Amino acid sequence: MSAPSPFRSPSFNVLSRLLRSSPALLDTTFDQLRTLITVAETGTALAAARTLGRDQSSVQKQLDTLNRNFSELCGEPLLHRQGRGRDVLFTDTGRAVAQQARRTLTEWLDTIHECRRELGGTLTVGATRYTLGSLAHAGDLVAEQFRARDIELNVVHVRTKDLIDRLLAKDVDLVCGSVVTTNALDTVDVLEWRRSGLGILTNMDTPRAGESVSTSQLPTLPLVVPSGGVINDFMHGWFGSDYRNRLDIVAEIDSAQYGFELLRSGLIRGCMLVTQGLGEAAGENRLHAASGLRTITLVDDIEPKLELLVGVFARRGERSSYPDSHPLNLLWNALRQAGEASWLEVDGAAAR
C-alpha cells in the first residue's frame, strides 16, 4: 500500500479555512494585537507598558506568547529583544503582522462606530472656530436627552475649505460653518443661518468714508487678501483661477489678525478684503484689533452674484431616513434654535 501523498488541496471556502485554523492563531486576542501595535509605535516593552498603563512583565508575557504562536504559524518570531534600553527588533514577519493588526483593529473600530452611528449611539459634529458658540448653545438644549440615552457627542474642528469634503467623506455627521454659494450644495441638506457678502478695511485716504467700491473696480486697488479660505473662493468666482495675475495683490496673509496689524503698522497701504460681518464689527468699533482702519462697502456688480452662506450642513437625505428622535435630527433642530448667534462665523471667515 502506497504512503499517503504529502500534498493537499487548498480550501478557498472561508468557513473551511477557519475550521482548519491553528489554535495558535485563534487564541490570539485583540488585546495582544493592541500590545504589539503599541510596541511597534513606542519601540520597547517598557514604553508600551507605560502607554498602556500596565506592568512591563504583563506586556512582555503577551509578546512572548505572540512570539511562540507565530513561530509555530509562520516559522519565525515577531520580534527580538536587543538588550536594556534598546528598541526591540521586528522581523519581516513581525512587521507584516503588526501592519495587518493595525488594519484589522481599525476596520473593527470603524465598523462598530458605524453601527453605533446608524443606531443613534454616537454623533460626530464638525465646527469652524466661529460657530462654536452656537454649537455650544444647541448642545445645552439636547444635553439632558443625550445623557439620558447615553449618546456620545463628539466635536471636531474643521476648516472652512474642507467643510463639505469632510462631511461627504463621513468624517463628521453634521457640520456648522460657511461656504460660498458657488460651491455645489446638491449633495447636502442646508439649515441656513445667514447670507452676506464681502467688505473692505483700509488704511488709505481713498476711497473716502461713505463711498462704496464695486467688485469690478477691485483690479484698480492695492489688495490685501488671505492666502486661503472663502475670500479666495470669491476671488476665483469673480476673476477666474488666474485672479492673482489680474489683481494688484500687495500682501497675502494667513490670518485676519495679521492683516489688521499689517495695515495699522503703515508698512503697506492697501485694502483688505474681509467678510461683511467683520467689516461691520470694525465699522461699529466692536473690533479692537482693527482700530483706526476705515470700512468701505463692497458692492457686487459681477454675475453670478456670490454670497457667503453660514449655517448647518448634513448629507442630503440622511436626516429624513431617521426618526425625529435620532440624535442627528435632535441636534439639527436645536441648531435651528441657536442660529441667531451664528453671525459670529461671518466675522472670522476672512482669516481662513
Side-chain angles (χ1 to χ4, degrees):
M1 183 175 180
S2 61
S5 170
F7 300 105
R8 67 177 182 181
S9 299
S11 174
F12 295 100
N13 180 278
V14 174
L15 179 58
S16 296
R17 293 185 68 189
L18 290 174
L19 292 175
R20 290 164 52 181
S21 296
S22 167
L25 174 63
L26 298 180
D27 289 343
T28 301
T29 67
F30 279 3
D31 188 38
Q32 290 172 339
L33 295 181
R34 185 181 68 160
T35 296
L36 181 67
I37 294 169
T38 307
V39 172
E41 294 290 335
T42 61
T44 67
L46 177 59
R50 290 171 176 167
T51 301
L52 294 169
R54 292 180 171 176
D55 293 334
Q56 183 179 357
S57 59
S58 172
V59 169
Q60 191 59 57
K61 182 177 180 180
Q62 287 188 318
L63 296 179
D64 291 341
T65 300
L66 288 170
N67 266 345
R68 182 172 59 253
N69 288 344
F70 279 89
S71 291
E72 176 184 331
L73 289 166
C74 303
E76 72 173 345
L78 301 183
L79 47 82
H80 300 287
R81 283 186 280 183
Q82 297 199 100
R84 187 177 182 87
R86 298 180 63 188
D87 286 359
V88 297
L89 177 64
F90 274 77
T91 64
D92 289 343
T93 299
R95 284 190 289 271
V97 171
Q99 184 176 8
Q100 181 61 45
R102 289 188 184 92
R103 288 195 296 264
T104 298
L105 292 185
T106 297
E107 289 172 1
W108 269 92
L109 291 171
D110 289 346
T111 298
I112 292 170
H113 174 80
E114 183 63 18
C115 290
R116 290 196 67 213
R117 191 187 69 80
E118 288 287 339
L119 294 172
T122 185
L123 188 69
T124 302
V125 183
T128 54
R129 175 184 174 188
Y130 290 88
T131 55
L132 287 175
S134 295
L135 179 57
H137 178 52
D140 289 340
L141 297 177
V142 299
E144 185 174 344
Q145 295 181 70
F146 277 36
R147 280 195 294 268
R149 293 168 53 185
D150 195 27
I151 296 171
E152 178 185 336
L153 180 60
N154 302 303
V155 179
V156 299
H157 175 243
V158 296
R159 306 276 298 184
T160 298
K161 64 183 179 66
D162 302 323
L163 187 147
I164 299 298
D165 290 341
R166 294 283 301 275
L167 182 64
L168 297 182
K170 291 191 174 183
D171 294 336
V172 294
D173 302 307
L174 179 150
V175 65
C176 306
S178 59
V179 298
V180 178
T181 51
T182 52
N183 292 349
L185 297 177
D186 57 346
T187 57
V188 296
D189 290 335
V190 181
L191 171 59
E192 185 175 321
W193 281 342
R194 172 175 170 157
R195 288 176 182 251
S196 66
L198 298 187
I200 293 174
L201 291 179
T202 184
N203 60 358
M204 298 170 59
D205 295 330
T206 57
R208 297 183 181 281
E211 293 181 345
S212 62
V213 171
S214 64
T215 52
S216 59
Q217 292 177 288
L218 289 178
T220 67
L221 299 175
L223 299 178
V224 176
V225 298
S227 55
V230 294
I231 301 295
N232 296 69
D233 291 339
F234 276 92
M235 298 294 98
H236 188 281
W238 285 330
F239 302 107
S241 58
D242 64 338
Y243 69 87
R244 285 182 173 83
N245 295 323
R246 299 181 59 186
L247 300 173
D248 180 16
I249 298 178
V250 296
E252 283 194 336
I253 56 176
D254 60 6
S255 71
Q257 182 69 36
Y258 181 78
F260 301 150
E261 294 295 332
L262 186 62
L263 291 179
R264 293 178 63 189
S265 71
L267 290 173
I268 65 167
R269 309 291 286 180
C271 297
M272 178 177 168
L273 291 171
V274 298
T275 59
Q276 183 177 321
L278 197 58
E280 291 173 355
E284 296 168 4
N285 296 318
R286 292 187 284 110
L287 194 62
H288 176 74
S291 177
L293 302 180
R294 295 190 303 110
T295 302
I296 304 297
T297 301
L298 182 63
V299 179
D300 188 1
D301 64 345
I302 296 179
E303 294 293 340
K305 295 292 192 298
L306 303 182
E307 293 179 299
L308 185 67
L309 190 160
V310 184
V312 186
F313 307 86
R315 287 179 288 276
R316 175 60 61 90
E318 188 169 43
R319 291 187 309 106
S320 61
S321 68
Y322 297 136
D324 292 342
S325 59
H326 192 279
L328 181 61
N329 287 320
L330 292 176
L331 187 59
W332 180 275
N333 292 328
L335 285 163
R336 190 190 304 277
Q337 299 178 53
E340 293 182 358
S342 66
W343 65 271
L344 288 173
E345 164 68 20
V346 184
D347 286 356
R352 291 159 298 148

